[in-house]
Amino acid sequence: MAFNRLLTIMDELREQCPWDRKQTLDSLRHLTIEETYELSDAILEGDLTEVKKEIGDLMLHMVFYSRIGSEQPADSPTRFDVADVLNSISEKLIRRHPHIYGDTVADTEEQVKANWEQLKLKEGNKSVLGGVPQSLPALVKAMRIQEKARGAGFDWEEKEQVWEKVEEEMQEFRAEFSHDNVPSAPEQAERAEGEFGDLLFSLVNYARFININPETALERTNRKFIKRFKYLEEQARANGRQLSDMTLAEMDVYWNAAKRMP
């Protein structure tokens, strides 16, 4: 009943609202990305009320895309409506879970993931990495690449091996320049950038082995830094100071006070 109500409202808006009539798949794309990040924010903040609202916003976008798809000519092979979308995902879930809907055995999460990647290859993917979106943020992409490689059996055996790789990459990065000699030549800077990328990739790998999501971890650190920096600014203003006029030692007094905050 609730879903049908949303479909009816979408139809009415598409037919009667000037803004809704104007939208296309392309015009909605960046808005969907924004809504996805808003849902991510709500989840990180643990705000379930906002989570519910943001899920609703994303649900609206999925219905909107489906409505646009249904407006193609009836004989178009690419035409689809919301029923086609729901049936398609239902069929894929059944197909991708043969251990539930078939006779395949998968008793562990790792077996499920391995079966999933093999099924995707049978469905037409030329590589297990083919399903990783090119536009993913680099940190998230690194995690997904490693997860998919693991699903194909290409992975380290022990976390100690991964940490050894982190230390190896750190040494290779440091070898590109000393602390007193920042890379200046283009080719030297490019090599240092490449080694830094390798170091980050290996750190993401280690985080995965110890069940830490690096994207979540970094975002929590970002938020912590923002909170502390805003405290520093507020305290400076309260004392009639500007950060640009303060020494680093003076700012550190406020910063250390911020670190003691809950």
Side-chain angles (χ1 to χ4, degrees):
M1 180 70 79
F3 191 61
N4 285 334
R5 182 186 181 199
L6 176 59
L7 294 178
T8 299
I9 292 173
M10 183 72 259
D11 287 341
E12 293 171 346
L13 293 178
R14 185 64 170 172
E15 294 166 6
Q16 301 175 35
C17 175
W19 186 88
D20 288 278
R21 281 202 307 265
K22 186 179 178 180
Q23 300 314 305
T24 65
L25 297 178
D26 287 337
S27 70
L28 288 173
R29 176 182 170 274
H30 75 281
L31 298 176
T32 305
I33 293 172
E34 181 180 331
E35 294 293 353
T36 302
Y37 278 108
E38 289 178 0
L39 173 60
S40 175
D41 286 346
I43 292 172
L44 285 174
E45 292 165 5
D47 189 336
L48 293 182
T49 299
E50 283 299 311
V51 168
K52 179 188 70 173
K53 290 167 59 178
E54 298 304 338
I55 289 174
D57 289 341
L58 279 174
M59 187 75 72
L60 170 61
H61 280 236
M62 301 307 105
V63 167
F64 209 151
Y65 288 127
S66 299
R67 166 65 200 233
I68 294 173
S70 72
E71 294 169 0
Q72 298 184 69
D75 59 350
S76 172
T78 58
R79 181 184 183 278
F80 65 92
D81 59 19
V82 72
D84 296 321
V85 171
L86 297 177
N87 284 327
S88 176
I89 187 58
S90 294
E91 291 162 6
K92 184 169 78 171
L93 287 172
I94 291 171
R95 190 169 62 250
R96 296 275 181 89
H97 291 78
H99 54 291
I100 302 297
Y101 301 103
D103 54 9
T104 299
V105 176
D107 296 324
T108 68
E109 179 185 0
E110 291 302 319
Q111 288 176 318
V112 171
K113 289 181 177 178
N115 287 343
W116 185 279
E117 296 301 338
Q118 290 304 310
L119 287 166
K120 289 177 71 173
L121 288 175
K122 291 180 181 179
E123 291 171 5
N125 278 15
K126 295 181 180 180
S127 167
V128 296
L129 303 181
V132 180
Q134 291 297 312
S135 57
L136 273 180
L139 197 62
V140 178
K141 186 189 290 187
M143 184 78 165
R144 294 297 292 135
I145 288 171
Q146 294 169 9
E147 288 174 341
K148 287 184 174 293
R150 180 177 179 81
F154 185 77
D155 202 6
W156 301 92
E157 295 178 351
E158 304 291 341
K159 66 178 183 295
E160 289 76 15
Q161 296 172 307
V162 188
W163 186 250
E164 289 175 3
K165 185 63 175 176
V166 171
E167 293 180 323
E168 175 188 324
E169 297 294 354
M170 175 63 81
Q171 292 303 316
E172 291 180 3
F173 173 60
R174 288 171 61 93
E176 286 301 324
F177 64 96
S178 69
H179 291 296
D180 299 324
N181 181 27
V182 177
S184 54
E187 62 274 12
Q188 187 182 16
E190 184 175 344
R191 287 197 306 271
E193 182 183 76
E195 294 298 345
F196 188 68
D198 292 345
L199 174 59
L200 283 178
F201 193 84
S202 63
L203 280 169
V204 170
N205 224 342
Y206 187 73
R208 179 173 57 85
F209 259 78
I210 59 176
N211 297 317
I212 290 176
N213 185 305
E215 174 72 16
T216 301
L218 182 57
E219 179 55 21
R220 291 190 187 283
T221 295
N222 288 339
R223 289 168 181 256
K224 181 170 60 178
F225 184 92
I226 290 171
K227 180 180 178 181
R228 291 175 178 175
F229 193 82
K230 285 183 175 179
Y231 176 85
L232 189 159
E233 291 176 312
E234 291 167 359
Q235 292 303 307
R237 281 196 297 268
N239 287 278
R241 304 292 302 279
Q242 294 290 332
L243 294 186
S244 58
D245 299 326
M246 296 172 63
T247 66
L248 185 59
E250 289 174 323
M251 286 189 280
D252 275 343
V253 173
Y254 297 133
W255 184 261
N256 289 330
K259 290 169 65 175
R260 294 192 291 270
M261 293 172 59

